[in-house]
DNA sequence: TAGCAAAGCTACTAAATTCATAGCGTCTAG
DNA sequence: CTAGACGCTATGAATTTAGTAGCTTTGCTA
């Protein structure tokens, strides 16, 4: 699977606008989950496998490669870890946690839209 | 495809933590792209198809259903549009645009990691 | 120093998702 | 009527992901 990077054609943009490359990258299974989890600290391949429960090693490996190619994570002595860029991105993602918990959930209580 | 909602088992959380449900929902092809685009204003099914270029009507339709089930978009007389919740979510996504353009791209210039 | 366990994968097949294309039914304008 | 736009559905092929097994290396440790 081709790694989406700014400047090359990606899903949603033939010219590879950075935001579209980013949305393409993050819009793949487990990509955001991995970043979310790594913020708690570096982790090993098997550790991530356990965390993700249902991820296959094939997918985990390609996802890790993509995230490395895009400079969001790197390998350290303690396992995979977020880079500076990865941490910055996490911090942009973080507010979604509170929003999901405190705002989004309300939308399911209104007009009998049960989860 | 099962729509991920808070409170039910989703990818990454057997108990359906809201953030995991959200990451599951957004981690599907075109989901964030649709939200990103709809912020510019309501659009029709065919309009979205054109915008997304390579999306199939099947996928577009299931994605629209999921986003509607999760209260992020709705149908209006002018076509599909973001709900209040959808707009809120967009605003959380928005900073990623600048970050991608002004920060992330730099990571590809360092250490000859060409896009 | 032989054995064992953990880590980081690769290989392979099956299932699920997505794409690509064609076309149906409804509505509105001409 | 007829044509075109719209919102899809149907079908089959291609791509992605899951599931399981197991190889290779490293570091104990007995």
């Amino acid at each position: 699977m081709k790694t989406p990077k700014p400047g090359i054609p990606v899903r949603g943009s033939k010219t590879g606008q950075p935001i579209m490359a980013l949305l393409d990258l993050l819009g793949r299974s487990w990509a955001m989950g991995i970043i979310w989890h790594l913020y708690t600290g570096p982790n090993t391949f098997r550790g991530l496998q356990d965390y993700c429960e249902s991820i296959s090693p094939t997918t985990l490996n390609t996802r890790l490669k993509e995230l490395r190619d895009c400079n969001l994570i790197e390998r350290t002595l303690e396992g995979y870890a977020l880079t500076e860029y990865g941490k910055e991105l996490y911090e942009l993602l973080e507010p979604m946690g509170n929003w999901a918990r405190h705002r989004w959930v309300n939308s399911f209580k209104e007009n009998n839209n049960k989860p």
Side-chain angles (χ1 to χ4, degrees), chain A residues 17-37:
Chain A
Q17 286 175 56
I19 180 63
M20 288 304 148
L22 185 58
L23 294 186
D24 187 357
L25 177 68
L26 298 181
R28 297 176 181 194
S29 68
W30 296 109
M32 289 189 286
I34 290 169
I35 292 172
W36 194 267
H37 183 62

PDB file of all heavy atoms in Angstrom, chain A residues 17-37:
ATOM      1  N   GLN A  17      -2.062  17.694  -1.569  1.00  0.00           N
ATOM      2  CA  GLN A  17      -2.127  18.713  -0.515  1.00  0.00           C
ATOM      3  C   GLN A  17      -1.815  18.050   0.821  1.00  0.00           C
ATOM      4  O   GLN A  17      -2.330  16.980   1.120  1.00  0.00           O
ATOM      5  CB  GLN A  17      -3.535  19.286  -0.413  1.00  0.00           C
ATOM      6  CG  GLN A  17      -3.949  20.231  -1.519  1.00  0.00           C
ATOM      7  CD  GLN A  17      -5.402  20.616  -1.348  1.00  0.00           C
ATOM      8  OE1 GLN A  17      -5.792  21.119  -0.303  1.00  0.00           O
ATOM      9  NE2 GLN A  17      -6.206  20.348  -2.353  1.00  0.00           N
ATOM     10  N   PRO A  18      -1.003  18.692   1.643  1.00  0.00           N
ATOM     11  CA  PRO A  18      -0.593  18.095   2.917  1.00  0.00           C
ATOM     12  C   PRO A  18      -1.767  17.573   3.750  1.00  0.00           C
ATOM     13  O   PRO A  18      -1.704  16.455   4.259  1.00  0.00           O
ATOM     14  CB  PRO A  18       0.120  19.241   3.616  1.00  0.00           C
ATOM     15  CG  PRO A  18       0.671  20.066   2.507  1.00  0.00           C
ATOM     16  CD  PRO A  18      -0.328  19.978   1.401  1.00  0.00           C
ATOM     17  N   ILE A  19      -2.826  18.367   3.858  1.00  0.00           N
ATOM     18  CA  ILE A  19      -3.929  17.907   4.698  1.00  0.00           C
ATOM     19  C   ILE A  19      -4.563  16.641   4.141  1.00  0.00           C
ATOM     20  O   ILE A  19      -4.947  15.746   4.882  1.00  0.00           O
ATOM     21  CB  ILE A  19      -5.002  19.015   4.877  1.00  0.00           C
ATOM     22  CG1 ILE A  19      -6.157  18.533   5.750  1.00  0.00           C
ATOM     23  CG2 ILE A  19      -5.548  19.463   3.525  1.00  0.00           C
ATOM     24  CD1 ILE A  19      -5.780  18.179   7.148  1.00  0.00           C
ATOM     25  N   MET A  20      -4.644  16.527   2.840  1.00  0.00           N
ATOM     26  CA  MET A  20      -5.243  15.335   2.246  1.00  0.00           C
ATOM     27  C   MET A  20      -4.340  14.115   2.427  1.00  0.00           C
ATOM     28  O   MET A  20      -4.810  13.010   2.666  1.00  0.00           O
ATOM     29  CB  MET A  20      -5.513  15.576   0.760  1.00  0.00           C
ATOM     30  CG  MET A  20      -6.673  16.521   0.506  1.00  0.00           C
ATOM     31  SD  MET A  20      -8.202  15.953   1.313  1.00  0.00           S
ATOM     32  CE  MET A  20      -8.986  17.509   1.695  1.00  0.00           C
ATOM     33  N   ALA A  21      -3.044  14.343   2.322  1.00  0.00           N
ATOM     34  CA  ALA A  21      -2.109  13.244   2.576  1.00  0.00           C
ATOM     35  C   ALA A  21      -2.253  12.778   4.027  1.00  0.00           C
ATOM     36  O   ALA A  21      -2.263  11.583   4.314  1.00  0.00           O
ATOM     37  CB  ALA A  21      -0.681  13.692   2.305  1.00  0.00           C
ATOM     38  N   LEU A  22      -2.403  13.754   4.923  1.00  0.00           N
ATOM     39  CA  LEU A  22      -2.537  13.410   6.338  1.00  0.00           C
ATOM     40  C   LEU A  22      -3.835  12.651   6.601  1.00  0.00           C
ATOM     41  O   LEU A  22      -3.852  11.640   7.299  1.00  0.00           O
ATOM     42  CB  LEU A  22      -2.487  14.685   7.185  1.00  0.00           C
ATOM     43  CG  LEU A  22      -2.494  14.509   8.699  1.00  0.00           C
ATOM     44  CD1 LEU A  22      -1.323  13.649   9.153  1.00  0.00           C
ATOM     45  CD2 LEU A  22      -2.471  15.849   9.405  1.00  0.00           C
ATOM     46  N   LEU A  23      -4.918  13.120   6.008  1.00  0.00           N
ATOM     47  CA  LEU A  23      -6.199  12.441   6.216  1.00  0.00           C
ATOM     48  C   LEU A  23      -6.166  11.041   5.611  1.00  0.00           C
ATOM     49  O   LEU A  23      -6.756  10.104   6.147  1.00  0.00           O
ATOM     50  CB  LEU A  23      -7.347  13.250   5.599  1.00  0.00           C
ATOM     51  CG  LEU A  23      -7.651  14.614   6.232  1.00  0.00           C
ATOM     52  CD1 LEU A  23      -8.889  15.233   5.610  1.00  0.00           C
ATOM     53  CD2 LEU A  23      -7.810  14.503   7.735  1.00  0.00           C
ATOM     54  N   ASP A  24      -5.479  10.892   4.503  1.00  0.00           N
ATOM     55  CA  ASP A  24      -5.352   9.576   3.897  1.00  0.00           C
ATOM     56  C   ASP A  24      -4.566   8.657   4.824  1.00  0.00           C
ATOM     57  O   ASP A  24      -4.970   7.528   5.106  1.00  0.00           O
ATOM     58  CB  ASP A  24      -4.656   9.723   2.536  1.00  0.00           C
ATOM     59  CG  ASP A  24      -4.639   8.415   1.751  1.00  0.00           C
ATOM     60  OD1 ASP A  24      -5.107   7.385   2.281  1.00  0.00           O
ATOM     61  OD2 ASP A  24      -4.158   8.409   0.603  1.00  0.00           O
ATOM     62  N   LEU A  25      -3.458   9.174   5.329  1.00  0.00           N
ATOM     63  CA  LEU A  25      -2.617   8.377   6.231  1.00  0.00           C
ATOM     64  C   LEU A  25      -3.372   7.965   7.489  1.00  0.00           C
ATOM     65  O   LEU A  25      -3.350   6.805   7.895  1.00  0.00           O
ATOM     66  CB  LEU A  25      -1.386   9.195   6.628  1.00  0.00           C
ATOM     67  CG  LEU A  25      -0.421   8.554   7.619  1.00  0.00           C
ATOM     68  CD1 LEU A  25       0.294   7.370   6.995  1.00  0.00           C
ATOM     69  CD2 LEU A  25       0.588   9.563   8.136  1.00  0.00           C
ATOM     70  N   LEU A  26      -4.048   8.921   8.103  1.00  0.00           N
ATOM     71  CA  LEU A  26      -4.745   8.644   9.367  1.00  0.00           C
ATOM     72  C   LEU A  26      -6.038   7.857   9.154  1.00  0.00           C
ATOM     73  O   LEU A  26      -6.569   7.280  10.091  1.00  0.00           O
ATOM     74  CB  LEU A  26      -5.051   9.956  10.097  1.00  0.00           C
ATOM     75  CG  LEU A  26      -3.836  10.785  10.509  1.00  0.00           C
ATOM     76  CD1 LEU A  26      -4.276  12.044  11.229  1.00  0.00           C
ATOM     77  CD2 LEU A  26      -2.880   9.973  11.380  1.00  0.00           C
ATOM     78  N   GLY A  27      -6.519   7.885   7.925  1.00  0.00           N
ATOM     79  CA  GLY A  27      -7.777   7.195   7.645  1.00  0.00           C
ATOM     80  C   GLY A  27      -7.572   5.736   7.288  1.00  0.00           C
ATOM     81  O   GLY A  27      -8.300   5.181   6.487  1.00  0.00           O
ATOM     82  N   ARG A  28      -6.572   5.139   7.856  1.00  0.00           N
ATOM     83  CA  ARG A  28      -6.331   3.718   7.641  1.00  0.00           C
ATOM     84  C   ARG A  28      -6.420   3.010   8.971  1.00  0.00           C
ATOM     85  O   ARG A  28      -6.148   3.616  10.019  1.00  0.00           O
ATOM     86  CB  ARG A  28      -4.945   3.513   7.013  1.00  0.00           C
ATOM     87  CG  ARG A  28      -4.859   4.143   5.654  1.00  0.00           C
ATOM     88  CD  ARG A  28      -3.501   4.056   5.028  1.00  0.00           C
ATOM     89  NE  ARG A  28      -3.532   4.731   3.725  1.00  0.00           N
ATOM     90  CZ  ARG A  28      -2.590   4.616   2.801  1.00  0.00           C
ATOM     91  NH1 ARG A  28      -1.545   3.855   3.013  1.00  0.00           N
ATOM     92  NH2 ARG A  28      -2.699   5.244   1.651  1.00  0.00           N
ATOM     93  N   SER A  29      -6.801   1.763   8.929  1.00  0.00           N
ATOM     94  CA  SER A  29      -7.118   1.076  10.171  1.00  0.00           C
ATOM     95  C   SER A  29      -5.979   1.141  11.184  1.00  0.00           C
ATOM     96  O   SER A  29      -4.840   0.854  10.873  1.00  0.00           O
ATOM     97  CB  SER A  29      -7.474  -0.373   9.895  1.00  0.00           C
ATOM     98  OG  SER A  29      -6.374  -1.091   9.458  1.00  0.00           O
ATOM     99  N   TRP A  30      -6.307   1.525  12.355  1.00  0.00           N
ATOM    100  CA  TRP A  30      -5.415   1.552  13.508  1.00  0.00           C
ATOM    101  C   TRP A  30      -4.423   2.706  13.527  1.00  0.00           C
ATOM    102  O   TRP A  30      -3.731   2.897  14.535  1.00  0.00           O
ATOM    103  CB  TRP A  30      -4.617   0.246  13.624  1.00  0.00           C
ATOM    104  CG  TRP A  30      -5.504  -0.909  13.872  1.00  0.00           C
ATOM    105  CD1 TRP A  30      -5.794  -1.915  12.984  1.00  0.00           C
ATOM    106  CD2 TRP A  30      -6.236  -1.206  15.061  1.00  0.00           C
ATOM    107  NE1 TRP A  30      -6.658  -2.819  13.555  1.00  0.00           N
ATOM    108  CE2 TRP A  30      -6.937  -2.413  14.830  1.00  0.00           C
ATOM    109  CE3 TRP A  30      -6.356  -0.568  16.299  1.00  0.00           C
ATOM    110  CZ2 TRP A  30      -7.768  -2.975  15.780  1.00  0.00           C
ATOM    111  CZ3 TRP A  30      -7.178  -1.147  17.254  1.00  0.00           C
ATOM    112  CH2 TRP A  30      -7.870  -2.333  16.977  1.00  0.00           C
ATOM    113  N   ALA A  31      -4.308   3.475  12.463  1.00  0.00           N
ATOM    114  CA  ALA A  31      -3.282   4.517  12.430  1.00  0.00           C
ATOM    115  C   ALA A  31      -3.430   5.469  13.607  1.00  0.00           C
ATOM    116  O   ALA A  31      -2.480   5.711  14.364  1.00  0.00           O
ATOM    117  CB  ALA A  31      -3.342   5.277  11.104  1.00  0.00           C
ATOM    118  N   MET A  32      -4.609   6.007  13.800  1.00  0.00           N
ATOM    119  CA  MET A  32      -4.807   6.944  14.912  1.00  0.00           C
ATOM    120  C   MET A  32      -4.746   6.223  16.244  1.00  0.00           C
ATOM    121  O   MET A  32      -4.249   6.763  17.235  1.00  0.00           O
ATOM    122  CB  MET A  32      -6.117   7.699  14.739  1.00  0.00           C
ATOM    123  CG  MET A  32      -6.066   8.707  13.598  1.00  0.00           C
ATOM    124  SD  MET A  32      -7.487   9.811  13.505  1.00  0.00           S
ATOM    125  CE  MET A  32      -8.758   8.707  12.862  1.00  0.00           C
ATOM    126  N   GLY A  33      -5.217   4.989  16.275  1.00  0.00           N
ATOM    127  CA  GLY A  33      -5.166   4.212  17.515  1.00  0.00           C
ATOM    128  C   GLY A  33      -3.738   4.009  17.992  1.00  0.00           C
ATOM    129  O   GLY A  33      -3.452   4.090  19.187  1.00  0.00           O
ATOM    130  N   ILE A  34      -2.841   3.763  17.053  1.00  0.00           N
ATOM    131  CA  ILE A  34      -1.440   3.560  17.411  1.00  0.00           C
ATOM    132  C   ILE A  34      -0.852   4.843  17.984  1.00  0.00           C
ATOM    133  O   ILE A  34      -0.179   4.831  19.011  1.00  0.00           O
ATOM    134  CB  ILE A  34      -0.633   3.098  16.176  1.00  0.00           C
ATOM    135  CG1 ILE A  34      -1.036   1.663  15.800  1.00  0.00           C
ATOM    136  CG2 ILE A  34       0.859   3.182  16.426  1.00  0.00           C
ATOM    137  CD1 ILE A  34      -0.509   1.199  14.459  1.00  0.00           C
ATOM    138  N   ILE A  35      -1.118   5.947  17.301  1.00  0.00           N
ATOM    139  CA  ILE A  35      -0.599   7.233  17.795  1.00  0.00           C
ATOM    140  C   ILE A  35      -1.172   7.540  19.177  1.00  0.00           C
ATOM    141  O   ILE A  35      -0.469   7.942  20.094  1.00  0.00           O
ATOM    142  CB  ILE A  35      -0.955   8.364  16.816  1.00  0.00           C
ATOM    143  CG1 ILE A  35      -0.169   8.161  15.518  1.00  0.00           C
ATOM    144  CG2 ILE A  35      -0.655   9.731  17.417  1.00  0.00           C
ATOM    145  CD1 ILE A  35      -0.566   9.089  14.401  1.00  0.00           C
ATOM    146  N   TRP A  36      -2.471   7.330  19.298  1.00  0.00           N
ATOM    147  CA  TRP A  36      -3.132   7.568  20.573  1.00  0.00           C
ATOM    148  C   TRP A  36      -2.458   6.785  21.693  1.00  0.00           C
ATOM    149  O   TRP A  36      -2.198   7.304  22.777  1.00  0.00           O
ATOM    150  CB  TRP A  36      -4.602   7.184  20.486  1.00  0.00           C
ATOM    151  CG  TRP A  36      -5.417   7.687  21.630  1.00  0.00           C
ATOM    152  CD1 TRP A  36      -5.693   7.019  22.785  1.00  0.00           C
ATOM    153  CD2 TRP A  36      -6.037   8.971  21.740  1.00  0.00           C
ATOM    154  NE1 TRP A  36      -6.457   7.813  23.605  1.00  0.00           N
ATOM    155  CE2 TRP A  36      -6.687   9.010  22.992  1.00  0.00           C
ATOM    156  CE3 TRP A  36      -6.114  10.084  20.907  1.00  0.00           C
ATOM    157  CZ2 TRP A  36      -7.397  10.133  23.425  1.00  0.00           C
ATOM    158  CZ3 TRP A  36      -6.823  11.195  21.345  1.00  0.00           C
ATOM    159  CH2 TRP A  36      -7.448  11.206  22.584  1.00  0.00           C
ATOM    160  N   HIS A  37      -2.186   5.535  21.414  1.00  0.00           N
ATOM    161  CA  HIS A  37      -1.626   4.684  22.460  1.00  0.00           C
ATOM    162  C   HIS A  37      -0.169   4.993  22.764  1.00  0.00           C
ATOM    163  O   HIS A  37       0.253   4.969  23.918  1.00  0.00           O
ATOM    164  CB  HIS A  37      -1.748   3.221  22.064  1.00  0.00           C
ATOM    165  CG  HIS A  37      -1.269   2.285  23.126  1.00  0.00           C
ATOM    166  ND1 HIS A  37      -1.855   2.208  24.373  1.00  0.00           N
ATOM    167  CD2 HIS A  37      -0.225   1.425  23.154  1.00  0.00           C
ATOM    168  CE1 HIS A  37      -1.219   1.323  25.111  1.00  0.00           C
ATOM    169  NE2 HIS A  37      -0.222   0.829  24.402  1.00  0.00           N
TER     170      HIS A  37
END
